[in-house]
Amino acid sequence: MVHEMVNGAFRQTNLTNESGEYLTKREQLRLAEIELMRQRERVAELRRGLSKGATIQDYAFEEGPANLDAGDAPVRTVRLSELFTAPNRSVVAYHFMYGKKNTSPCPMCTLIIDGWSGVAHHLAQNVDVVIVAAADPTVLRAHARARGWNNLRFLSCGANTFKYDLGSEDKEGNQDSTVSVLTRDSDGTIRHFYTAHPSIAKDIKERGLDLLCPVYNILDLTPQGRGDWYASFDYSPKSRASLKASS
């Protein structure tokens, strides 16, 4: 373990050959990282302090068996109110870009859901997580099955206005990735608490959900950064060859 100041810099390693220039720049970065952490905490506090959101209807969704490997029937109707498994829990819904005008599943949404699937058992200790798409339950479950998303709950909302009302679908049926948080009052009233989209300003079209995806945050640790990389269902032969050569 390190944790000592060396010439005014907080040492991160035991490497004795780090240059003075490197240590100075790393210290500048450390202070910026601390401020970023504190800013994230301020943002989270502002989010928690939101006033009561609008009341919303008890939407009806379609859902197949809990076990993806149990086939796709029977399909049952489940209400939004039924997604809350205990008092004082929120429902976190990821709006998957799949269905209606988006006839193929979105690779970037899939990237995010891959990460959520891996930590779903942790999230379940505190919140109820669902993946909502306009796609038919059968095709939605087929994609989930192919990805191994066995720890998540998948709901089809193609027959209701859930996605439109929360801004992840337009009147023509074009889809967008979105995350929404719903709450339930003690008297059973369901409320919208928070929704976020990739586009959060005229000059920010894709970064609004980055904190939900570990991949981009890990890439940002490297000198190469994230560049213009996008997720894909079929990475290029060059990428696969590079991975094979490095293994």
Side-chain angles (χ1 to χ4, degrees):
M1 300 287 289
V2 289
H3 302 306
E4 61 175 338
M5 299 295 292
V6 177
N7 297 325
F10 188 84
R11 184 175 285 281
Q12 304 289 335
T13 74
N14 290 312
L15 298 173
T16 59
N17 60 342
E18 290 176 323
S19 70
E21 180 183 10
Y22 175 89
L23 289 174
T24 297
K25 289 185 176 181
R26 182 63 185 91
E27 178 64 9
Q28 293 173 348
L29 175 58
R30 182 182 73 91
L31 297 176
E33 289 171 335
I34 291 171
E35 181 53 33
L36 176 60
M37 179 204 73
R38 290 175 175 159
Q39 176 64 10
R40 288 199 306 268
E41 292 177 346
R42 287 193 289 269
V43 169
E45 183 178 8
L46 287 171
R47 188 181 296 115
R48 291 192 300 270
L50 287 171
S51 303
K52 275 192 174 183
T55 59
I56 56 176
Q57 62 179 286
D58 196 6
Y59 297 93
F61 303 95
E62 291 184 303
E63 181 179 31
N67 184 350
L68 283 175
D69 295 326
D72 299 323
V75 173
R76 70 186 185 100
T77 297
V78 58
R79 292 281 180 178
L80 176 57
S81 58
E82 298 176 273
L83 303 180
F84 297 88
T85 61
N88 299 316
R89 283 171 68 98
S90 297
V91 167
V92 179
Y94 184 84
H95 301 238
F96 187 12
M97 291 175 63
Y98 192 16
K100 297 188 179 179
K101 291 292 186 178
N102 287 75
T103 56
S104 299
C106 169
M108 296 306 296
C109 287
T110 297
L111 170 69
I112 292 176
I113 299 171
D114 278 342
W116 286 35
S117 179
V119 298
H121 59 300
H122 298 292
L123 293 171
Q125 307 309 306
N126 297 284
V127 296
D128 296 308
V129 176
V130 294
I131 308 300
V132 181
D136 179 83
T138 301
V139 296
L140 174 60
R141 290 171 62 83
H143 184 65
R145 193 177 296 118
R147 301 300 300 187
W149 291 339
N150 298 309
N151 298 321
L152 292 169
R153 191 169 182 179
F154 298 91
L155 305 174
S156 175
C157 64
N160 67 32
T161 60
F162 178 79
K163 285 173 66 67
Y164 177 79
D165 292 345
L166 296 180
S168 69
E169 178 182 290
D170 64 19
K171 291 183 178 180
E172 286 71 45
N174 297 294
Q175 308 293 301
D176 194 9
S177 55
T178 296
V179 63
S180 293
V181 179
L182 301 315
T183 61
R184 185 175 59 176
D185 294 348
S186 58
D187 65 359
T189 301
I190 304 172
R191 296 182 182 275
H192 169 256
F193 174 73
Y194 173 79
T195 287
H197 306 274
S199 178
I200 54 177
K202 289 185 178 179
D203 60 337
I204 304 174
K205 301 299 184 183
E206 300 178 328
R207 302 287 298 275
L209 301 182
D210 277 15
L211 290 178
L212 304 180
C213 179
V215 174
Y216 281 127
N217 292 282
I218 292 172
L219 292 177
D220 282 343
L221 297 176
T222 70
Q224 295 79 18
R226 65 178 68 188
D228 57 359
W229 179 84
Y230 273 78
S232 169
F233 294 130
D234 183 20
Y235 294 114
S236 68
K238 179 179 178 181
S239 296
R240 292 198 297 271
S242 176
L243 288 171
K244 186 174 181 180
S246 63
S247 62

